[in-house]
Amino acid sequence: GQSLEQPSEVTAVEGAIVQINCTYQTSGFYGLSWYQQHDGGAPTFLSYNGLDGLEETGRFSSFLSRSDSYGYLLLQELQMKDSASYFCAVKAAGNKLTFGGGTRVLVKP
Amino acid sequence: DAMVIQNPRYQVTQFGKPVTLSCSQTLNHNVMYWYQQKSSQAPKLLFHYYDKDFNNEADTPDNFQSRRPNTSFCFLDIRSPGLGDAAMYLCATSRSTSGGRTDTQYFGPGTRLTVL
C-alpha cells in the first residue's frame, strides 16, 4: 500500500516563498505528482517528478529524492490566487494515483 | 478546448434512491477514472476503465458501479446511496496507464452529491 504525509496547513504573505514537503512510503513507485485544488474545484495538475531532481514550471518548482522517499513543491512569488489546497500524489503501476491528505495554503495580503 | 466534463455539478438524492453521475471527455483518452473525495480529504480512487476493461479497487464498496458505453462517456452508478456516500465525485482521464510523464491524469470539475 501507499502512505503519504504532508503538512495540513501553511500560511504566508503575498510575494513570499512556500515549500510543501511530502514524504511517502510505497510499494511500487513511478513518480510524484502535484495537484492544486481550489475550494469546490477540480484538482489541476501542476508538476510531475519521475526522476530525482528539480522540475521548474514558472513560479512553481517540484523536487524529488527517490532514495529519501521525499519530495517538495516550491511556490515562489506567492499571489492571492495561490490560496488553495495542494496535494502530492504517488504514481504507481497502472498509472494509479494515491493522494496525500493535502496542504491548505493561505496567502495573506 | 479539449476537456473533461461532469454533469450535473450538484446532485441531491434520497437515502437508498439510485443515482447516476456522468462524465464525458473530448481528449480521446483511453483511460477514465472515478474518485471519491469527502470534505477536507484526499481523492480516493474507486475504479477505472482502460478502454472497455473495468478495474475495480479492492476496497470499493459493491454499492458503486460504473459503465463506459463508448470512449467519450463514463457513468458512476450508486445503487443505494447512504449518508456516508455524500461527497465530491471526480472523473479523470489519461492517455494510457503506462505511468510515464505523458500519462498525466486530467480531472473534471466534479459532481457534489448530497444524500438526504
Side-chain angles (χ1 to χ4, degrees):
Chain A
Q2 327 277 16
S3 70
L4 298 91
E5 289 208 13
Q6 52 181 126
S8 59
E9 192 170 296
V10 172
T11 301
V13 297
E14 271 186 301
I17 299 174
V18 161
Q19 179 172 317
I20 302 171
N21 297 321
C22 176
T23 58
Y24 58 87
Q25 292 184 325
T26 181
S27 55
F29 178 84
Y30 278 50
L32 192 68
S33 298
W34 289 92
Y35 283 81
Q36 178 194 61
Q37 187 178 32
H38 288 98
D39 285 346
T44 304
F45 173 75
L46 291 178
S47 188
Y48 174 75
N49 294 75
L51 301 173
D52 284 359
L54 191 69
E55 292 281 341
E56 296 181 88
T57 311
R59 294 187 296 113
F60 296 169
S61 303
S62 60
F63 172 83
L64 176 66
S65 168
R66 294 173 77 114
S67 60
D68 294 324
S69 297
Y70 163 76
Y72 67 72
L73 178 70
L74 195 70
L75 314 179
Q76 302 181 76
E77 301 172 22
L78 272 181
Q79 301 176 7
M80 296 297 291
K81 67 180 181 179
D82 298 330
S83 291
S85 292
Y86 292 83
F87 292 89
C88 59
V90 162
K91 181 180 282 197
N95 204 40
K96 293 184 180 182
L97 291 178
T98 301
F99 286 82
T103 299
R104 194 170 183 85
V105 173
L106 178 61
V107 182
K108 293 187 172 179
Chain B
D1 284 340
M3 56 198 304
V4 183
I5 303 157
Q6 291 188 245
N7 286 306
R9 294 293 312 277
Y10 300 90
Q11 176 74 55
V12 179
T13 191
Q14 292 180 333
F15 183 93
K17 183 175 181 181
V19 66
T20 295
L21 311 181
S22 75
C23 175
S24 64
Q25 54 123 345
T26 61
L27 295 158
N28 203 32
H29 281 173
N30 294 310
V31 192
M32 296 185 78
Y33 309 79
W34 280 104
Y35 289 83
Q36 179 193 62
Q37 186 178 25
K38 296 188 176 180
S39 182
S40 301
Q41 295 185 22
K44 181 177 180 299
L45 181 65
L46 295 173
F47 28 57
H48 75 276
Y49 270 97
Y50 192 131
D51 288 334
K52 292 187 182 297
D53 292 333
F54 178 71
N55 298 269
N56 199 28
E57 293 301 298
D59 55 356
T60 298
D62 293 339
N63 198 25
F64 292 88
Q65 304 285 319
S66 187
R67 296 170 284 135
R68 190 178 186 188
N70 54 54
T71 301
S72 301
F73 284 86
C74 195
F75 299 100
L76 170 63
D77 301 308
I78 309 176
R79 293 192 296 188
S80 182
L83 298 179
D85 297 327
M88 175 78 87
Y89 289 89
L90 296 161
C91 174
T93 73
S94 70
R95 198 178 66 170
S96 76
T97 59
S98 67
R101 172 177 296 277
T102 57
D103 284 329
T104 298
Q105 289 190 25
Y106 296 96
F107 285 79
T111 294
R112 184 169 295 282
L113 179 68
T114 300
V115 182
L116 300 179

